[in-house]
Amino acid sequence: MQGTPVTVPTPDGTVDAYLARPEGSSAPHPAVLMYMDAFGLRPHLKRMADRLASAGYTVLVPNVFYRHSPAPVVELPDFINPAERPEIFQSLRPAAVTLTPQAAMRDAGVYLDWLADSPLTVDGPVGVTGYCMGAGLALRTAGTYPDRVAAAAGFHGAYLATDAPDSPHLVADRITAELYFGHADQDSTNPAEQIDRLDKALAAAGVRHRGEVYPGAHHGFTQADTAMYDAEATERHWAALLELLGRTL
């Protein structure tokens, strides 16, 4: 794949991002906005973008914590073990607080504009996918920009349907895209009651959607640079994501 660093200007600063597209092709391809997990824009996430691009897409992966600093926001080991996670998350907290739902959706509009203006993308709605916290961003983006998002997916999403007044699932009544969620079976950030609440909200709003719980999978199962990685669940995620995008873009 042809992957390259790019910058995306916003009213709040310049976003460092990664753009992947099929190698050897100057033709435009359908656009996909890929939202990072909390560990951020790093080699593994770029490899994921490359794999998605190899299926025929132009993929943008922004560093959504750009208000705090360019990626890497904190120093990460090559492989993240469970014992290291609490300290890493504590270090990421100052960056995370800069990303309010309102700021994130202002940024989402900028990312969609950037993709629409790129000569590497075809005209029309885009696909959105996200991991961990990125699953919530994908859901919010589908509800905030319904005329611009044809499909949205989230994997091992965190806090998708809480009791908070700004919970991501509350945008359900504005969504026109088709959605897919691959939930981790072993995930304290997305317990069964939240999965059920999300499904009921989407169904009540008439949203085309499918949610599946991946047995035995832990939060972060797609992230091969962490101990949470699950190869079988990851391949299932790829099959579901590519099926959704192929059907809608």
Side-chain angles (χ1 to χ4, degrees), residues 30-126:
V32 177
L33 173 60
M34 177 184 284
Y35 281 121
M36 63 188 223
D37 65 345
F39 293 134
L41 185 56
R42 61 195 192 282
H44 173 65
L45 215 60
K46 294 176 182 180
R47 288 191 291 269
M48 292 184 70
D50 289 345
R51 177 165 175 176
L52 184 52
S54 72
Y57 300 99
T58 296
V59 184
L60 178 69
V61 191
N63 167 27
V64 301
F65 290 156
Y66 72 93
R67 289 177 179 83
H68 184 269
S69 71
V73 174
V74 300
E75 186 175 351
L76 296 171
D78 292 335
F79 187 82
I80 301 170
N81 288 300
E84 299 168 309
R85 292 172 73 92
E87 183 178 351
I88 292 172
F89 282 130
Q90 184 63 31
S91 299
L92 285 167
R93 189 176 300 276
V97 299
T98 68
L99 191 69
T100 64
Q102 296 78 14
M105 290 305 97
R106 286 199 308 273
D107 292 343
V110 174
Y111 303 146
L112 294 175
D113 286 343
W114 192 92
L115 284 166
D117 291 340
S118 172
L120 301 176
T121 65
V122 300
D123 294 336
V126 309

Side-chain angles (χ1 to χ4, degrees), residues 155-168:
F155 299 93
H156 47 82
Y159 310 110
L160 296 176
T162 71
D163 293 325
D166 60 354
S167 175

